[in-house]
Amino acid sequence: MGKVFVFDHPLIQHKLTFIRDKNTGTKEFRELVDEVATLMAFEITRDMPLREIEVETPVRKSKSKILSGKKIGIVPILRAGIGMVDGILKLIPAAKVGHIGLYRDPKTLKPIEYYAKLPSDVEERDFILVDPMLATGGSAVEAINSLKKRGAKHIKFMCLIAAPEGVEAIKELHPDVDIFIAALDEKLNEKGYIVPGLGDAGDRLFGTK
Ligand code: URA
């Protein structure tokens, strides 16, 4: 069964409060999402494998550790996921970035893929799929389907705020995917917004309404 990690680090929680605040403007909102994405990336990469090399310090030769060259792919779900990419890239600059775009079919309300572009070596990469909000889980489940269909074997899902419904959907349909969140909120309202949430993440990131 996939694990759920809630990052209760004080810096993440502090910044998240201002991200939630409706009086936070677009510029500050974007900067805060970027900063929280960096902090979350620090935690999410805790299990990255290391190998030892020899290094010569000014004092003597020594063995020391470096990342063992694991290939990482970051995949934002369009469009709000884009707001988290640069923050992760600050810590993992060698990662490649794919994109998955989904829209909701007005009749069935199911997410339909309209765009997918991934690094060519999908099977060799560990993927971090990102979307600030995990609401019903429909988009996240479909994006994971899309990654797996193209050969992805190791996927982590990272978001700022999740609703219990979304977490359950991923756990049930993709039990191999671990979920990393900054806050687990109460519920979804009748319009599909997370309560208390932060409103529409895409609109707040890009200044649209
Ligand atoms: N997407 C958002 O941007 N906000 C929500 O509350 C739910 C889904």
Side-chain angles (χ1 to χ4, degrees), residues 133 135 192-194 199-202:
M133 309 301 275
Y193 280 99
I194 298 177
D200 187 300

mmCIF file with all atom_site columns, all heavy atoms in Angstrom, residues 133 135 192-194 199-202, ligand 1:
data_model
loop_
_atom_site.group_PDB
_atom_site.id
_atom_site.type_symbol
_atom_site.label_atom_id
_atom_site.label_alt_id
_atom_site.label_comp_id
_atom_site.label_asym_id
_atom_site.label_entity_id
_atom_site.label_seq_id
_atom_site.pdbx_PDB_ins_code
_atom_site.Cartn_x
_atom_site.Cartn_y
_atom_site.Cartn_z
_atom_site.occupancy
_atom_site.B_iso_or_equiv
_atom_site.pdbx_formal_charge
_atom_site.auth_seq_id
_atom_site.auth_comp_id
_atom_site.auth_asym_id
_atom_site.auth_atom_id
_atom_site.pdbx_PDB_model_num
ATOM   1  N N   . MET A 1 133 ? -2.807  20.834 -5.901  1.00 0.00 ? 133 MET A N   1
ATOM   2  C CA  . MET A 1 133 ? -4.028  20.409 -5.215  1.00 0.00 ? 133 MET A CA  1
ATOM   3  C C   . MET A 1 133 ? -4.405  18.986 -5.601  1.00 0.00 ? 133 MET A C   1
ATOM   4  O O   . MET A 1 133 ? -4.538  18.658 -6.778  1.00 0.00 ? 133 MET A O   1
ATOM   5  C CB  . MET A 1 133 ? -5.189  21.341 -5.593  1.00 0.00 ? 133 MET A CB  1
ATOM   6  C CG  . MET A 1 133 ? -4.890  22.811 -5.432  1.00 0.00 ? 133 MET A CG  1
ATOM   7  S SD  . MET A 1 133 ? -4.443  23.274 -3.767  1.00 0.00 ? 133 MET A SD  1
ATOM   8  C CE  . MET A 1 133 ? -6.043  23.523 -3.031  1.00 0.00 ? 133 MET A CE  1
ATOM   9  N N   . ALA A 1 135 ? -7.532  16.989 -5.257  1.00 0.00 ? 135 ALA A N   1
ATOM   10 C CA  . ALA A 1 135 ? -8.937  17.142 -4.855  1.00 0.00 ? 135 ALA A CA  1
ATOM   11 C C   . ALA A 1 135 ? -9.650  15.788 -4.919  1.00 0.00 ? 135 ALA A C   1
ATOM   12 O O   . ALA A 1 135 ? -9.516  14.983 -4.003  1.00 0.00 ? 135 ALA A O   1
ATOM   13 C CB  . ALA A 1 135 ? -9.589  18.206 -5.721  1.00 0.00 ? 135 ALA A CB  1
ATOM   14 N N   . GLY A 1 192 ? -16.273 21.162 -5.718  1.00 0.00 ? 192 GLY A N   1
ATOM   15 C CA  . GLY A 1 192 ? -15.029 20.425 -5.941  1.00 0.00 ? 192 GLY A CA  1
ATOM   16 C C   . GLY A 1 192 ? -13.798 21.128 -5.399  1.00 0.00 ? 192 GLY A C   1
ATOM   17 O O   . GLY A 1 192 ? -12.674 20.708 -5.650  1.00 0.00 ? 192 GLY A O   1
ATOM   18 N N   . TYR A 1 193 ? -13.995 22.218 -4.638  1.00 0.00 ? 193 TYR A N   1
ATOM   19 C CA  . TYR A 1 193 ? -12.844 22.897 -4.019  1.00 0.00 ? 193 TYR A CA  1
ATOM   20 C C   . TYR A 1 193 ? -12.483 22.228 -2.702  1.00 0.00 ? 193 TYR A C   1
ATOM   21 O O   . TYR A 1 193 ? -13.367 21.758 -1.966  1.00 0.00 ? 193 TYR A O   1
ATOM   22 C CB  . TYR A 1 193 ? -13.165 24.373 -3.735  1.00 0.00 ? 193 TYR A CB  1
ATOM   23 C CG  . TYR A 1 193 ? -13.053 25.247 -4.961  1.00 0.00 ? 193 TYR A CG  1
ATOM   24 C CD1 . TYR A 1 193 ? -14.182 25.606 -5.680  1.00 0.00 ? 193 TYR A CD1 1
ATOM   25 C CD2 . TYR A 1 193 ? -11.815 25.690 -5.398  1.00 0.00 ? 193 TYR A CD2 1
ATOM   26 C CE1 . TYR A 1 193 ? -14.088 26.396 -6.814  1.00 0.00 ? 193 TYR A CE1 1
ATOM   27 C CE2 . TYR A 1 193 ? -11.702 26.486 -6.528  1.00 0.00 ? 193 TYR A CE2 1
ATOM   28 C CZ  . TYR A 1 193 ? -12.836 26.829 -7.233  1.00 0.00 ? 193 TYR A CZ  1
ATOM   29 O OH  . TYR A 1 193 ? -12.728 27.604 -8.355  1.00 0.00 ? 193 TYR A OH  1
ATOM   30 N N   . ILE A 1 194 ? -11.192 22.215 -2.410  1.00 0.00 ? 194 ILE A N   1
ATOM   31 C CA  . ILE A 1 194 ? -10.741 21.685 -1.132  1.00 0.00 ? 194 ILE A CA  1
ATOM   32 C C   . ILE A 1 194 ? -11.057 22.708 -0.041  1.00 0.00 ? 194 ILE A C   1
ATOM   33 O O   . ILE A 1 194 ? -10.829 23.914 -0.227  1.00 0.00 ? 194 ILE A O   1
ATOM   34 C CB  . ILE A 1 194 ? -9.234  21.358 -1.164  1.00 0.00 ? 194 ILE A CB  1
ATOM   35 C CG1 . ILE A 1 194 ? -8.955  20.280 -2.222  1.00 0.00 ? 194 ILE A CG1 1
ATOM   36 C CG2 . ILE A 1 194 ? -8.756  20.900 0.209   1.00 0.00 ? 194 ILE A CG2 1
ATOM   37 C CD1 . ILE A 1 194 ? -7.481  19.923 -2.398  1.00 0.00 ? 194 ILE A CD1 1
ATOM   38 N N   . GLY A 1 199 ? -8.278  27.941 -2.628  1.00 0.00 ? 199 GLY A N   1
ATOM   39 C CA  . GLY A 1 199 ? -8.980  28.439 -3.819  1.00 0.00 ? 199 GLY A CA  1
ATOM   40 C C   . GLY A 1 199 ? -8.463  27.721 -5.055  1.00 0.00 ? 199 GLY A C   1
ATOM   41 O O   . GLY A 1 199 ? -8.016  26.569 -4.976  1.00 0.00 ? 199 GLY A O   1
ATOM   42 N N   . ASP A 1 200 ? -8.506  28.397 -6.193  1.00 0.00 ? 200 ASP A N   1
ATOM   43 C CA  . ASP A 1 200 ? -8.041  27.795 -7.446  1.00 0.00 ? 200 ASP A CA  1
ATOM   44 C C   . ASP A 1 200 ? -6.540  28.068 -7.602  1.00 0.00 ? 200 ASP A C   1
ATOM   45 O O   . ASP A 1 200 ? -6.120  29.208 -7.801  1.00 0.00 ? 200 ASP A O   1
ATOM   46 C CB  . ASP A 1 200 ? -8.816  28.379 -8.625  1.00 0.00 ? 200 ASP A CB  1
ATOM   47 C CG  . ASP A 1 200 ? -8.483  27.654 -9.919  1.00 0.00 ? 200 ASP A CG  1
ATOM   48 O OD1 . ASP A 1 200 ? -7.293  27.650 -10.325 1.00 0.00 ? 200 ASP A OD1 1
ATOM   49 O OD2 . ASP A 1 200 ? -9.398  27.079 -10.516 1.00 0.00 ? 200 ASP A OD2 1
ATOM   50 N N   . ALA A 1 201 ? -5.754  27.019 -7.499  1.00 0.00 ? 201 ALA A N   1
ATOM   51 C CA  . ALA A 1 201 ? -4.292  27.178 -7.500  1.00 0.00 ? 201 ALA A CA  1
ATOM   52 C C   . ALA A 1 201 ? -3.802  27.770 -8.823  1.00 0.00 ? 201 ALA A C   1
ATOM   53 O O   . ALA A 1 201 ? -2.934  28.644 -8.836  1.00 0.00 ? 201 ALA A O   1
ATOM   54 C CB  . ALA A 1 201 ? -3.626  25.834 -7.238  1.00 0.00 ? 201 ALA A CB  1
ATOM   55 N N   . GLY A 1 202 ? -4.362  27.314 -9.935  1.00 0.00 ? 202 GLY A N   1
ATOM   56 C CA  . GLY A 1 202 ? -3.941  27.824 -11.246 1.00 0.00 ? 202 GLY A CA  1
ATOM   57 C C   . GLY A 1 202 ? -4.226  29.307 -11.371 1.00 0.00 ? 202 GLY A C   1
ATOM   58 O O   . GLY A 1 202 ? -3.365  30.091 -11.773 1.00 0.00 ? 202 GLY A O   1
HETATM 59 N N1  . URA B 2 .   ? -8.060  22.588 -7.763  1.00 0.00 ? 1   URA B N1  1
HETATM 60 C C1  . URA B 2 .   ? -7.782  23.781 -7.196  1.00 0.00 ? 1   URA B C1  1
HETATM 61 O O1  . URA B 2 .   ? -7.061  24.594 -7.763  1.00 0.00 ? 1   URA B O1  1
HETATM 62 N N2  . URA B 2 .   ? -8.312  24.052 -5.984  1.00 0.00 ? 1   URA B N2  1
HETATM 63 C C2  . URA B 2 .   ? -9.107  23.193 -5.314  1.00 0.00 ? 1   URA B C2  1
HETATM 64 O O2  . URA B 2 .   ? -9.542  23.505 -4.208  1.00 0.00 ? 1   URA B O2  1
HETATM 65 C C3  . URA B 2 .   ? -9.383  21.943 -5.918  1.00 0.00 ? 1   URA B C3  1
HETATM 66 C C4  . URA B 2 .   ? -8.859  21.675 -7.143  1.00 0.00 ? 1   URA B C4  1
#
